Coordinates of all heavy atoms in Angstrom, one line a residue:
M1 N 0.8 -1.2 0.0 CA 0.0 0.0 0.0 C 0.9 1.2 0.0 O 1.8 1.4 0.8 CB -0.9 0.0 1.3 CG -2.0 1.0 1.2 SD -3.0 1.0 2.7 CE -3.8 -0.6 2.6
A2 N 0.6 2.2 -0.9 CA 1.4 3.4 -1.0 C 1.1 4.3 0.2 O 0.1 4.2 0.9 CB 1.0 4.2 -2.2
A3 N 2.1 5.1 0.5 CA 2.0 5.9 1.8 C 0.8 6.9 1.7 O 0.1 7.0 2.7 CB 3.3 6.8 1.9
D4 N 0.5 7.5 0.6 CA -0.6 8.4 0.5 C -1.9 7.7 0.6 O -2.9 8.2 1.2 CB -0.6 9.3 -0.7 CG -0.8 8.5 -2.0 OD1 -0.3 7.4 -2.1 OD2 -1.4 9.1 -2.9
E5 N -1.9 6.4 0.1 CA -3.1 5.6 0.2 C -3.4 5.3 1.7 O -4.5 5.3 2.2 CB -2.9 4.3 -0.6 CG -4.2 3.7 -1.1 CD -3.9 2.6 -2.0 OE1 -2.9 2.6 -2.7 OE2 -4.7 1.6 -2.0
K6 N -2.3 5.0 2.4 CA -2.4 4.7 3.8 C -3.0 5.9 4.6 O -3.8 5.8 5.5 CB -1.0 4.3 4.4 CG -1.0 3.2 5.4 CD 0.4 2.9 5.9 CE 0.7 1.5 5.6 NZ 2.1 1.2 6.0
D7 N -2.5 7.1 4.2 CA -3.0 8.3 4.8 C -4.5 8.5 4.6 O -5.2 8.8 5.5 CB -2.2 9.5 4.3 CG -0.8 9.7 4.9 OD1 -0.5 8.9 5.8 OD2 -0.1 10.5 4.3
R8 N -4.9 8.2 3.4 CA -6.3 8.4 3.1 C -7.1 7.5 3.9 O -8.2 7.8 4.4 CB -6.5 8.2 1.6 CG -6.7 9.5 0.8 CD -6.9 9.3 -0.6 NE -5.8 8.6 -1.2 CZ -5.7 8.2 -2.4 NH1 -6.7 8.3 -3.2 NH2 -4.6 7.6 -2.9
L9 N -6.6 6.2 4.0 CA -7.4 5.2 4.8 C -7.4 5.7 6.3 O -8.5 5.6 6.9 CB -6.7 3.8 4.7 CG -7.4 2.7 5.3 CD1 -8.7 2.5 4.6 CD2 -6.6 1.4 5.2
G10 N -6.3 6.2 6.7 CA -6.3 6.7 8.1 C -7.3 7.8 8.3 O -8.0 7.8 9.3
N11 N -7.3 8.7 7.4 CA -8.3 9.8 7.4 C -9.7 9.3 7.4 O -10.6 9.8 8.2 CB -8.1 10.8 6.3 CG -6.9 11.7 6.4 OD1 -6.3 11.8 7.5 ND2 -6.4 12.2 5.4
K12 N -9.9 8.3 6.6 CA -11.3 7.8 6.5 C -11.7 7.1 7.8 O -12.8 7.4 8.3 CB -11.3 6.7 5.3 CG -12.7 6.3 4.9 CD -13.2 7.3 3.8 CE -14.7 7.2 3.7 NZ -15.3 8.5 3.5
L13 N -10.8 6.4 8.4 CA -11.1 5.7 9.7 C -11.3 6.8 10.7 O -12.2 6.6 11.6 CB -9.9 4.9 10.1 CG -9.8 3.5 9.4 CD1 -8.5 2.8 9.8 CD2 -11.0 2.6 9.8
H14 N -10.6 7.9 10.7 CA -10.7 9.0 11.6 C -12.1 9.6 11.5 O -12.8 9.9 12.5 CB -9.6 10.0 11.4 CG -9.7 11.1 12.4 ND1 -10.3 12.3 12.1 CD2 -9.3 11.3 13.7 CE1 -10.3 13.1 13.1 NE2 -9.7 12.5 14.1
D15 N -12.5 9.8 10.2 CA -13.9 10.3 9.9 C -15.0 9.4 10.5 O -15.9 9.9 11.1 CB -14.1 10.5 8.4 CG -13.3 11.6 7.9 OD1 -12.7 12.4 8.7 OD2 -13.2 11.7 6.6
V16 N -14.8 8.1 10.3 CA -15.8 7.2 10.8 C -15.9 7.2 12.3 O -17.0 7.3 12.9 CB -15.5 5.7 10.3 CG1 -16.3 4.7 11.0 CG2 -15.6 5.6 8.8
E17 N -14.7 7.3 12.9 CA -14.6 7.3 14.4 C -15.3 8.6 14.9 O -16.1 8.6 15.9 CB -13.2 7.4 14.8 CG -12.8 6.3 15.9 CD -11.3 6.2 16.0 OE1 -10.7 7.1 16.5 OE2 -10.8 5.1 15.5
K18 N -15.0 9.7 14.2 CA -15.6 11.0 14.6 C -17.1 11.0 14.5 O -17.8 11.5 15.4 CB -15.0 12.1 13.7 CG -15.4 13.5 14.0 CD -14.5 14.2 15.0 CE -14.9 15.6 15.2 NZ -16.2 15.7 15.9
A19 N -17.6 10.4 13.4 CA -19.0 10.4 13.2 C -19.7 9.5 14.3 O -20.7 9.9 14.8 CB -19.3 9.7 11.8
R20 N -19.0 8.4 14.7 CA -19.5 7.6 15.8 C -19.6 8.3 17.1 O -20.5 8.3 17.8 CB -18.6 6.4 15.9 CG -19.3 5.1 15.4 CD -18.5 3.9 15.7 NE -18.6 3.1 14.5 CZ -17.6 2.3 14.1 NH1 -16.5 2.2 14.8 NH2 -17.7 1.6 13.0
E21 N -18.5 9.1 17.4 CA -18.5 9.9 18.6 C -19.6 11.0 18.6 O -20.2 11.2 19.6 CB -17.1 10.6 18.8 CG -16.1 9.7 19.4 CD -14.7 10.4 19.3 OE1 -14.6 11.6 19.2 OE2 -13.7 9.6 19.4
D22 N -19.8 11.6 17.5 CA -20.8 12.6 17.3 C -22.2 12.0 17.6 O -23.0 12.6 18.3 CB -20.8 13.3 15.9 CG -19.6 14.2 15.7 OD1 -18.9 14.5 16.7 OD2 -19.4 14.7 14.6
Q23 N -22.4 10.9 17.0 CA -23.7 10.2 17.2 C -23.9 9.8 18.7 O -25.0 10.0 19.2 CB -23.7 8.9 16.3 CG -25.1 8.4 16.2 CD -25.1 7.1 15.4 OE1 -24.1 6.6 15.0 NE2 -26.3 6.5 15.3
W24 N -22.8 9.4 19.3 CA -22.9 9.0 20.7 C -23.2 10.2 21.6 O -24.0 10.1 22.4 CB -21.5 8.4 21.1 CG -21.5 8.0 22.6 CD1 -22.0 6.9 23.2 CD2 -21.0 8.8 23.6 NE1 -21.8 6.9 24.5 CE2 -21.2 8.1 24.8 CE3 -20.3 10.0 23.7 CZ2 -20.8 8.5 26.1 CZ3 -19.9 10.5 24.9 CH2 -20.1 9.8 26.1
A25 N -22.5 11.3 21.3 CA -22.8 12.6 22.0 C -24.2 13.1 21.8 O -24.8 13.5 22.8 CB -21.8 13.7 21.6
R26 N -24.7 13.0 20.6 CA -26.1 13.4 20.3 C -27.1 12.5 21.1 O -28.0 13.0 21.7 CB -26.4 13.3 18.8 CG -26.6 14.6 18.1 CD -27.3 14.4 16.8 NE -26.7 13.4 16.0 CZ -25.7 13.6 15.1 NH1 -25.2 14.8 15.0 NH2 -25.2 12.6 14.4
Q27 N -26.8 11.2 21.1 CA -27.7 10.3 21.8 C -27.7 10.6 23.3 O -28.7 10.6 23.9 CB -27.2 8.8 21.5 CG -28.1 7.8 22.1 CD -29.5 7.9 21.5 OE1 -29.8 8.2 20.3 NE2 -30.5 7.7 22.4
R28 N -26.5 10.9 23.8 CA -26.3 11.2 25.2 C -27.1 12.5 25.6 O -27.8 12.5 26.6 CB -24.9 11.3 25.6 CG -24.6 11.2 27.1 CD -23.3 11.7 27.4 NE -23.0 13.0 26.7 CZ -21.9 13.7 26.7 NH1 -20.9 13.3 27.4 NH2 -21.8 14.8 26.0
D29 N -27.0 13.5 24.7 CA -27.7 14.7 24.9 C -29.2 14.5 24.9 O -29.9 15.0 25.8 CB -27.5 15.7 23.8 CG -26.1 16.4 23.9 OD1 -25.5 16.2 25.0 OD2 -25.7 17.1 23.0
I30 N -29.7 13.6 24.0 CA -31.1 13.3 23.9 C -31.6 12.7 25.2 O -32.6 13.0 25.8 CB -31.5 12.4 22.7 CG1 -31.3 13.2 21.4 CG2 -32.9 11.8 22.8 CD1 -31.3 12.4 20.2
E31 N -30.7 11.7 25.7 CA -31.1 11.0 27.0 C -31.1 12.0 28.2 O -31.9 11.9 29.0 CB -30.1 9.9 27.2 CG -30.4 8.7 26.3 CD -29.3 7.6 26.3 OE1 -28.4 7.7 27.3 OE2 -29.2 6.8 25.4
L32 N -30.1 12.9 28.2 CA -30.0 13.8 29.3 C -31.2 14.8 29.3 O -31.8 15.0 30.4 CB -28.7 14.7 29.2 CG -27.5 14.0 29.7 CD1 -26.3 14.9 29.4 CD2 -27.5 13.6 31.1
I33 N -31.6 15.2 28.1 CA -32.8 16.1 28.0 C -34.0 15.4 28.4 O -34.9 15.9 29.2 CB -32.9 16.7 26.6 CG1 -31.8 17.7 26.3 CG2 -34.3 17.3 26.3 CD1 -31.6 18.1 24.9
E34 N -34.1 14.1 28.0 CA -35.3 13.3 28.3 C -35.4 13.1 29.9 O -36.4 13.3 30.4 CB -35.2 12.0 27.6 CG -36.5 11.3 27.4 CD -37.6 12.2 26.9 OE1 -37.4 12.9 25.8 OE2 -38.6 12.3 27.5
K35 N -34.2 12.9 30.5 CA -34.2 12.7 31.9 C -34.6 13.9 32.7 O -35.4 13.9 33.6 CB -32.7 12.3 32.3 CG -32.6 11.0 33.1 CD -31.2 10.7 33.5 CE -30.7 9.4 32.9 NZ -29.3 9.2 33.1
L36 N -34.1 15.1 32.2 CA -34.4 16.4 32.8 C -35.9 16.6 32.6 O -36.5 17.1 33.6 CB -33.6 17.5 32.1 CG -33.6 18.9 32.7 CD1 -32.9 18.9 34.0 CD2 -32.9 19.9 31.7
R37 N -36.4 16.3 31.5 CA -37.8 16.6 31.2 C -38.7 15.7 32.1 O -39.6 16.2 32.7 CB -38.1 16.2 29.7 CG -39.3 16.9 29.1 CD -39.3 16.6 27.7 NE -38.6 17.7 26.9 CZ -38.3 17.5 25.6 NH1 -38.5 16.4 25.0 NH2 -37.7 18.5 25.0
T38 N -38.3 14.5 32.3 CA -39.0 13.6 33.2 C -39.0 14.1 34.6 O -40.0 14.2 35.3 CB -38.5 12.2 33.1 OG1 -38.4 11.8 31.8 CG2 -39.3 11.2 33.9
R39 N -37.8 14.5 35.0 CA -37.6 15.0 36.4 C -38.4 16.3 36.6 O -39.1 16.4 37.6 CB -36.1 15.3 36.7 CG -35.8 15.5 38.1 CD -34.4 15.2 38.4 NE -33.4 16.0 37.6 CZ -33.0 17.2 37.9 NH1 -33.5 17.8 38.9 NH2 -32.2 17.8 37.1
L40 N -38.4 17.2 35.7 CA -39.1 18.5 35.8 C -40.6 18.3 35.7 O -41.3 19.1 36.3 CB -38.5 19.5 34.8 CG -37.2 20.0 35.1 CD1 -36.7 20.8 33.9 CD2 -37.2 20.8 36.4
S41 N -41.0 17.3 34.9 CA -42.5 17.2 34.8 C -43.0 16.7 36.1 O -44.3 16.6 36.3 CB -42.8 16.3 33.6 OG -42.4 15.0 33.9
Q42 N -42.2 16.2 37.0 CA -42.6 15.8 38.3 C -42.3 16.8 39.4 O -42.6 16.6 40.6 CB -42.0 14.5 38.7 CG -42.3 13.3 37.7 CD -41.3 12.2 37.8 OE1 -40.3 12.3 38.4 NE2 -41.7 11.1 37.1
T43 N -41.8 18.0 39.0 CA -41.5 19.0 39.9 C -42.7 19.9 40.1 O -43.4 20.3 39.2 CB -40.3 19.9 39.4 OG1 -39.2 19.0 39.2 CG2 -39.9 20.9 40.4
T44 N -42.9 20.3 41.4 CA -44.1 21.1 41.7 C -43.7 22.5 42.1 O -42.6 22.7 42.6 CB -45.0 20.4 42.8 OG1 -44.1 20.2 43.9 CG2 -45.6 19.1 42.3
C45 N -44.6 23.4 42.0 CA -44.4 24.8 42.4 C -44.3 24.8 44.0 O -45.1 24.1 44.6 CB -45.6 25.6 42.0 SG -45.6 27.3 42.7
R46 N -43.4 25.5 44.5 CA -43.2 25.5 46.0 C -44.3 26.3 46.6 O -44.6 26.1 47.8 CB -41.9 26.2 46.3 CG -41.8 27.6 45.9 CD -40.6 28.3 46.4 NE -40.8 29.7 46.1 CZ -40.0 30.7 46.3 NH1 -38.9 30.4 46.9 NH2 -40.3 31.9 46.0
D47 N -45.1 27.1 45.9 CA -46.2 27.9 46.5 C -47.5 27.2 46.5 O -48.2 27.1 47.5 CB -46.3 29.3 45.8 CG -45.1 30.2 46.2 OD1 -44.4 29.9 47.2 OD2 -45.0 31.2 45.5
C48 N -47.9 26.7 45.2 CA -49.2 26.1 45.1 C -49.2 24.6 44.9 O -50.2 24.0 44.8 CB -50.0 26.8 44.0 SG -49.2 26.6 42.4
K49 N -48.0 24.0 44.7 CA -47.8 22.6 44.6 C -48.3 22.0 43.3 O -48.5 20.8 43.1 CB -48.4 21.8 45.8 CG -48.0 22.3 47.1 CD -46.5 22.0 47.4 CE -46.0 22.5 48.7 NZ -44.8 23.2 48.7
Q50 N -48.6 22.9 42.3 CA -49.1 22.4 41.0 C -47.8 21.9 40.2 O -46.7 22.5 40.5 CB -49.8 23.5 40.2 CG -51.1 23.9 40.7 CD -51.8 24.8 39.7 OE1 -52.3 24.4 38.8 NE2 -51.7 26.1 40.0
F51 N -48.0 21.0 39.3 CA -46.8 20.6 38.5 C -46.4 21.7 37.6 O -47.3 22.4 37.0 CB -47.2 19.4 37.6 CG -47.2 18.1 38.5 CD1 -48.4 17.4 38.7 CD2 -46.1 17.6 39.0 CE1 -48.5 16.3 39.5 CE2 -46.1 16.4 39.8 CZ -47.3 15.8 40.0
L52 N -45.1 21.9 37.4 CA -44.6 22.9 36.5 C -44.8 22.4 35.1 O -44.8 21.3 34.8 CB -43.1 23.1 36.7 CG -42.6 23.5 38.1 CD1 -41.1 23.7 38.2 CD2 -43.3 24.7 38.6
V53 N -45.0 23.4 34.2 CA -45.3 23.1 32.8 C -44.2 23.7 31.9 O -43.7 24.8 32.2 CB -46.7 23.6 32.3 CG1 -47.8 22.8 33.0 CG2 -46.9 25.1 32.6
P54 N -43.8 23.0 30.8 CA -42.8 23.5 30.0 C -43.3 24.7 29.2 O -44.4 24.8 28.8 CB -42.5 22.4 29.0 CG -43.6 21.4 29.1 CD -44.2 21.6 30.4
K55 N -42.4 25.7 29.1 CA -42.8 27.0 28.5 C -41.5 27.6 27.8 O -40.4 27.5 28.4 CB -43.2 27.9 29.7 CG -43.9 29.1 29.3 CD -44.4 29.8 30.5 CE -44.9 31.2 30.3 NZ -45.2 32.0 31.5
T56 N -41.7 28.1 26.7 CA -40.6 28.8 26.0 C -40.8 30.3 25.9 O -41.8 30.7 25.4 CB -40.4 28.2 24.6 OG1 -40.3 26.8 24.7 CG2 -39.1 28.7 23.9
E57 N -39.9 31.0 26.5 CA -40.0 32.5 26.5 C -38.7 33.0 25.8 O -37.6 32.7 26.2 CB -40.0 33.0 27.9 CG -41.3 32.8 28.7 CD -42.3 33.8 28.4 OE1 -42.1 34.8 27.8 OE2 -43.5 33.6 28.8
H58 N -38.9 33.8 24.7 CA -37.7 34.3 24.0 C -36.7 33.2 23.6 O -35.5 33.3 23.7 CB -37.0 35.4 24.7 CG -37.9 36.5 25.2 ND1 -38.4 37.4 24.3 CD2 -38.5 36.8 26.4 CE1 -39.2 38.3 24.9 NE2 -39.3 37.9 26.2
G59 N -37.3 32.0 23.2 CA -36.4 30.9 22.8 C -35.8 30.2 23.9 O -34.9 29.3 23.7
V60 N -36.1 30.5 25.2 CA -35.4 29.8 26.3 C -36.5 28.9 27.0 O -37.6 29.3 27.3 CB -34.9 30.8 27.4 CG1 -34.3 30.1 28.6 CG2 -33.9 31.7 26.7
L61 N -36.1 27.6 27.0 CA -37.0 26.6 27.6 C -37.0 26.7 29.1 O -35.9 26.7 29.7 CB -36.7 25.2 27.2 CG -37.5 24.1 27.8 CD1 -38.9 24.1 27.3 CD2 -36.9 22.8 27.5
M62 N -38.1 26.8 29.7 CA -38.2 26.8 31.2 C -39.4 26.0 31.6 O -40.3 25.7 30.8 CB -38.3 28.2 31.7 CG -39.5 29.0 31.3 SD -39.4 30.7 31.8 CE -38.2 31.4 30.7
Y63 N -39.5 25.7 32.9 CA -40.6 25.0 33.5 C -41.3 26.0 34.5 O -40.6 26.5 35.4 CB -40.2 23.7 34.1 CG -39.9 22.7 33.1 CD1 -38.7 22.8 32.4 CD2 -40.8 21.7 32.8 CE1 -38.4 21.9 31.4 CE2 -40.5 20.8 31.8 CZ -39.3 20.9 31.1 OH -39.1 20.0 30.1
A64 N -42.5 26.3 34.2 CA -43.1 27.4 35.0 C -44.4 26.9 35.7 O -45.1 26.0 35.2 CB -43.5 28.6 34.1
C65 N -44.7 27.5 36.8 CA -46.0 27.3 37.5 C -47.1 27.8 36.6 O -47.0 28.9 36.1 CB -45.9 28.1 38.8 SG -47.6 28.2 39.6
P66 N -48.2 27.0 36.4 CA -49.3 27.5 35.6 C -49.9 28.8 36.1 O -50.5 29.5 35.3 CB -50.2 26.3 35.5 CG -49.7 25.3 36.5 CD -48.4 25.7 36.9
D67 N -49.8 29.0 37.4 CA -50.4 30.3 38.0 C -49.3 31.4 38.1 O -49.6 32.4 38.7 CB -51.0 30.0 39.4 CG -52.3 29.2 39.3 OD1 -52.8 29.2 38.1 OD2 -52.7 28.7 40.3
G68 N -48.2 31.2 37.5 CA -47.2 32.3 37.5 C -46.4 32.6 38.8 O -45.9 33.7 39.0
H69 N -46.3 31.6 39.7 CA -45.6 31.8 40.9 C -44.1 31.8 40.7 O -43.3 32.4 41.5 CB -45.9 30.8 42.0 CG -47.3 30.9 42.4 ND1 -48.2 29.8 42.4 CD2 -48.0 31.9 42.9 CE1 -49.4 30.2 42.9 NE2 -49.3 31.5 43.2
G70 N -43.6 31.2 39.6 CA -42.2 31.2 39.4 C -41.9 30.2 38.3 O -42.8 29.5 37.7
A71 N -40.6 30.1 37.9 CA -40.2 29.3 36.8 C -38.8 28.7 37.2 O -38.1 29.2 38.0 CB -40.1 30.0 35.5
W72 N -38.5 27.5 36.6 CA -37.3 26.9 36.8 C -36.5 26.8 35.5 O -37.1 26.3 34.5 CB -37.5 25.5 37.4 CG -36.3 24.8 38.0 CD1 -36.0 24.8 39.3 CD2 -35.3 24.1 37.3 NE1 -34.8 24.1 39.5 CE2 -34.4 23.7 38.3 CE3 -35.1 23.8 36.0 CZ2 -33.2 22.9 38.0 CZ3 -33.9 23.0 35.7 CH2 -33.0 22.6 36.6
L73 N -35.3 27.2 35.5 CA -34.4 27.1 34.3 C -33.2 26.3 34.6 O -32.7 26.5 35.8 CB -34.0 28.5 33.8 CG -34.9 29.5 33.3 CD1 -35.2 30.5 34.4 CD2 -34.3 30.2 32.2
D74 N -32.6 25.6 33.7 CA -31.4 25.0 34.0 C -30.3 26.0 33.8 O -30.5 27.0 33.2 CB -31.1 23.6 33.3 CG -30.9 23.7 31.9 OD1 -30.6 24.8 31.4 OD2 -31.0 22.7 31.2
A75 N -29.1 25.7 34.2 CA -28.0 26.7 34.2 C -27.7 27.2 32.8 O -27.5 28.4 32.6 CB -26.7 26.1 34.9
S76 N -27.7 26.4 31.8 CA -27.4 26.8 30.5 C -28.5 27.7 29.9 O -28.2 28.7 29.2 CB -27.1 25.6 29.6 OG -28.2 24.8 29.5
A77 N -29.7 27.4 30.2 CA -30.8 28.2 29.8 C -30.8 29.6 30.4 O -31.1 30.6 29.8 CB -32.2 27.5 30.0
L78 N -30.4 29.6 31.7 CA -30.3 30.9 32.4 C -29.2 31.7 31.8 O -29.4 33.0 31.6 CB -30.0 30.6 33.9 CG -29.9 31.8 34.8 CD1 -31.2 32.5 34.9 CD2 -29.5 31.4 36.2
K79 N -28.1 31.1 31.4 CA -27.0 31.9 30.8 C -27.5 32.5 29.5 O -27.2 33.7 29.3 CB -25.8 30.9 30.5 CG -24.7 31.0 31.5 CD -23.6 30.1 31.2 CE -22.9 29.6 32.4 NZ -22.2 28.3 32.2
V80 N -28.2 31.7 28.7 CA -28.7 32.3 27.4 C -29.7 33.4 27.7 O -29.6 34.5 27.1 CB -29.5 31.1 26.7 CG1 -30.2 31.7 25.5 CG2 -28.5 30.1 26.2
A81 N -30.6 33.3 28.7 CA -31.5 34.3 29.1 C -30.8 35.6 29.5 O -31.2 36.7 29.1 CB -32.5 33.8 30.2
L82 N -29.8 35.4 30.3 CA -29.1 36.6 30.8 C -28.3 37.3 29.7 O -28.3 38.6 29.6 CB -28.1 36.2 31.9 CG -28.7 35.8 33.2 CD1 -27.7 35.3 34.2 CD2 -29.5 37.0 33.8
K83 N -27.8 36.5 28.7 CA -27.1 37.1 27.6 C -28.1 37.9 26.7 O -27.7 39.0 26.3 CB -26.4 36.0 26.8 CG -25.1 36.4 26.1 CD -24.5 35.2 25.3 CE -23.6 34.4 26.2 NZ -23.1 33.2 25.5
E84 N -29.3 37.3 26.5 CA -30.3 38.0 25.7 C -30.7 39.3 26.4 O -31.1 40.3 25.7 CB -31.5 37.1 25.6 CG -31.3 35.8 24.9 CD -31.4 36.0 23.4 OE1 -32.4 36.6 22.9 OE2 -30.5 35.5 22.7
H85 N -30.7 39.3 27.7 CA -31.2 40.5 28.4 C -30.3 41.7 28.3 O -30.7 42.8 28.3 CB -31.3 40.1 29.9 CG -31.9 41.2 30.8 ND1 -33.2 41.5 30.6 CD2 -31.4 41.9 31.7 CE1 -33.5 42.5 31.5 NE2 -32.4 42.8 32.2
K86 N -28.9 41.5 28.1 CA -28.0 42.5 28.1 C -28.2 43.5 26.9 O -28.6 43.1 25.9 CB -26.6 41.9 27.9 CG -26.0 41.7 29.3 CD -24.6 41.1 29.1 CE -24.1 40.5 30.4 NZ -22.9 39.7 30.3
Ligands
ZN101 ZN1 -47.6 28.0 41.8

């Protein structure tokens, strides 16, 4: 096998590996979001004890009390919200 052919094969293998890692990371993200969603759908408002409902405000996903007592955001959503606010 010629040297450049070997390089190409190496690159190809690297691409395949990279694609597999990306897929794994995507799958893991989906599972984490799903877990968070499940956990939050069982979270209740501290004031009225109603279940929080998912709500998107300015593109930021949050879980809010249906009566408006408050909302819960995860840290990354809060960062996005604060950045938008500036
Ligand atoms: Zn409430």
Side-chain angles (χ1 to χ4, degrees):
M1 195 184 289
D4 66 324
E5 208 173 326
K6 217 179 237 174
D7 282 351
R8 258 181 296 175
L9 188 62
N11 285 343
K12 195 86 199 145
L13 281 174
H14 181 262
D15 288 351
V16 169
E17 232 165 71
K18 180 91 179 66
R20 255 188 220 144
E21 274 170 25
D22 287 352
Q23 196 187 358
W24 178 81
R26 246 197 314 272
Q27 187 58 39
R28 197 196 45 180
D29 283 352
I30 290 169
E31 284 170 15
L32 281 176
I33 289 169
E34 205 46 55
K35 238 181 238 172
L36 188 67
R37 205 169 269 165
T38 306
R39 190 157 56 85
L40 285 173
S41 67
Q42 296 160 352
T43 302
T44 54
C45 171
R46 62 171 191 182
D47 289 345
C48 65
K49 310 294 179 222
Q50 290 189 79
F51 285 111
L52 302 182
V53 291
K55 193 175 169 187
T56 306
E57 290 275 351
H58 305 285
V60 178
L61 177 69
M62 62 184 75
Y63 286 76
C65 166
D67 285 346
H69 293 127
W72 195 96
L73 295 97
D74 71 16
S76 59
L78 182 62
K79 262 182 213 159
V80 171
L82 290 174
K83 212 179 270 173
E84 296 276 314
H85 186 68
K86 273 183 194 166

